[in-house]
Amino acid sequence: MDNHHFFMQRCLQIARNGLGNVAPNPMVGAVLVHHGTIIAEGYHRACGLPHAEVEAIGQVRSTALFKESTLYVSLEPCCHFGKTPPCTDLILSSKIPRVVVAVADPFHKVNGGGIERLQKSGVEVITGVLEQEAQHLNRRFFTYHTQQRPYIILKWAQTADGFIDKQRTPNEPPAAISNAAAHRLSHWWRGQEQAIMVGTRTALYDNPALTTRLCAGKNPIRVVVDADGKLPKTLQLLDNQSNTIVIETREVSQMLQILYAKGLQSVIVEGGAALLQSFISSGLWDEARVFVAPQNIDKGVAAPLVHGGHTAATCSIGNNTLHLIHSKQSPTFRRY
Ligand SMILES: NC(=O)c1ccc[n+]([C@@H]2O[C@H](COP(=O)([O-])OP(=O)(O)OC[C@H]3O[C@@H](n4cnc5c(N)ncnc54)[C@H](OP(=O)(O)O)[C@@H]3O)[C@@H](O)[C@H]2O)c1
């Protein structure tokens, strides 16, 4: 690994600390290197807080070191006034002569403008170091800005013989499928996404709260499909614990347009089978996370059938097996 890769790897590593807190901003890490030694580092902690470059540069007391330093940053520095001033201004006023950038920012107010501004002011800019890794880290942000839709994660638990529930009435409890660890992991995942979505029958049958109550993490915005307005107001989903968006269309592409217009960069879709299958059929999904439990229940609600994807990883969560599947149509995974 050469030095550029080594320092950029560190940027990506610390950037990840912002997961679940920075959206709709991207996760970004920055390190300042003086003659081969990291003298400062920083990451974007939460939306509205200073950017990674500001965090890193602000740590340095001996400002004379700047003129012999290189700034590594996992996303192009911004050049516009948002919630904070442009990072390019700070880099220029600090007189840092060289900046290494992993990937250009697709956000229309930046989109190469930050790199151009630095170069026009005489800063040496090196781009494309660990570019694909940096894009992958911010796959929600990139999907939102380049595809004009949220990044879609499909998630469900199924039995070994391929069912997500027994056949039942709303008054009966659902079949217990995933184990406690898988359940907790699912709640942790919820806190990493901006929204969580379920279908009409799941809302009626399960009356889910869709919160992160089993772990620390922000509750995502809840989204429920109710095309005919038949869901009762007494459902937990419609309480005031966190915001809920009620979608009144059955068309997946229209659902995504609505969620895009609301600025949501990622949605975890947690069932049921019909809703999940309609995302798969439309090709509008990016990854699926499927728990398979060892038990058989012989009959019930059939699990979705995945097509157009490939299993990227499989691991054990206690006695459940977790399959991570990437969509071949997703712009994030198309290249594999
Ligand atoms: N094991 C798990 O991980 C898991 C997770 C969630 C749910 N579940 C179970 O799954 C069962 C419910 O699943 P389900 O497949 O019967 O129902 P579902 O997917 O939750 O809801 C399906 C209903 O949603 C409405 N809908 C609107 N737009 C749709 C679209 N684009 N695609 C599909 N449906 C759309 C339709 O109702 P209208 O025609 O009335 O609009 C449709 O009948 C329950 O037993 C629940 O407990 C299991």
Side-chain angles (χ1 to χ4, degrees):
M1 195 190 296
D2 68 21
N3 281 350
H4 285 340
H5 281 73
F6 177 82
F7 294 123
M8 193 58 80
Q9 198 69 265
R10 179 63 183 159
C11 292
L12 294 173
Q13 187 181 31
I14 57 178
R16 259 183 213 103
N17 292 328
L19 181 61
N21 293 319
V22 297
N25 288 350
M27 292 171 263
V28 187
V31 301
L32 198 64
V33 176
H34 181 261
H35 294 316
T37 301
I38 294 180
I39 57 168
E41 55 183 32
Y43 66 92
H44 185 41
R45 288 165 191 273
C47 182
L49 293 185
H51 289 182
E53 302 90 317
V54 180
E55 288 274 353
I57 290 171
Q59 283 177 27
V60 180
R61 297 231 178 107
S62 311
T63 53
L65 296 178
F66 285 144
K67 62 179 186 306
E68 295 169 345
S69 296
T70 300
L71 179 71
Y72 289 80
V73 58
S74 60
L75 188 75
E76 174 183 8
C78 68
C79 52
H80 66 292
F81 280 90
K83 287 192 172 67
T84 56
C87 289
T88 46
D89 288 6
L90 178 65
I91 294 168
L92 293 175
S93 64
S94 306
K95 305 213 174 335
I96 295 168
R98 190 159 74 144
V99 176
V100 182
V101 174
V103 65
D105 185 342
F107 180 50
H108 67 96
K109 288 187 180 169
V110 187
N111 202 15
I115 291 170
E116 195 181 304
R117 173 142 164 66
L118 292 174
Q119 284 173 329
K120 280 192 171 154
S121 305
V123 175
E124 181 192 352
V125 182
I126 296 167
T127 57
V129 176
L130 296 184
E131 184 173 17
Q132 290 192 347
E133 289 81 352
Q135 212 165 335
H136 185 77
L137 173 71
N138 280 310
R139 52 198 186 276
R140 299 161 179 84
F141 179 79
F142 274 86
T143 300
Y144 185 82
H145 289 292
T146 63
Q147 307 299 308
Q148 285 75 47
R149 67 163 173 84
Y151 184 83
I152 299 297
I153 300 165
L154 309 178
K155 183 253 144 186
W156 70 89
Q158 66 178 64
T159 58
D161 56 353
F163 298 101
I164 64 164
D165 197 5
K166 59 189 181 191
Q167 245 4 304
R168 64 180 173 99
T169 65
N171 300 325
E172 295 172 76
I177 297 178
S178 52
N179 64 30
H183 207 181
R184 265 199 312 281
L185 179 57
S186 305
H187 278 226
W188 185 63
W189 286 340
R190 288 176 179 182
Q192 297 173 357
E193 310 310 331
Q194 282 192 287
I196 181 169
M197 182 176 197
V198 291
T200 313
R201 251 193 323 263
T202 296
L204 272 174
Y205 277 52
D206 296 5
N207 190 14
L210 304 182
T211 60
T212 56
R213 63 196 173 279
L214 296 180
C215 64
K218 275 198 277 191
N219 286 332
I221 290 176
R222 300 174 295 192
V223 181
V224 60
V225 186
D226 187 16
D228 297 332
K230 64 182 172 203
L231 292 179
K233 300 281 170 283
T234 48
L235 290 179
Q236 292 196 85
L237 263 175
L238 303 173
D239 66 17
N240 292 323
Q241 267 203 31
S242 65
N243 294 336
T244 302
I245 297 168
V246 179
I247 299 265
E248 295 174 356
T249 173
R250 293 179 176 87
E251 286 297 319
V252 171
S253 55
Q254 283 174 17
M255 292 176 191
L256 296 192
Q257 277 169 24
I258 292 167
L259 300 175
Y260 172 79
K262 292 189 181 292
L264 297 170
Q265 290 185 2
S266 65
V267 181
I268 185 161
V269 183
E270 288 206 5
L275 183 65
L276 290 161
Q277 197 67 62
S278 71
F279 272 88
I280 295 167
S281 303
S282 65
L284 291 167
W285 62 288
D286 298 286
E287 56 180 282
R289 302 172 183 178
V290 183
F291 292 105
V292 180
Q295 66 266 35
N296 292 321
I297 56 173
D298 296 331
K299 58 181 183 194
V301 182
L305 289 175
V306 180
H307 49 85
H310 77 100
T311 303
T314 301
C315 64
S316 296
I317 308 289
N319 68 351
N320 289 182
T321 305
L322 170 62
H323 298 270
L324 299 174
I325 303 165
H326 293 169
S327 164
K328 289 179 184 160
Q329 293 180 53
S330 161
T332 303
F333 301 111
R334 206 176 278 150
R335 65 199 159 84
Y336 293 117

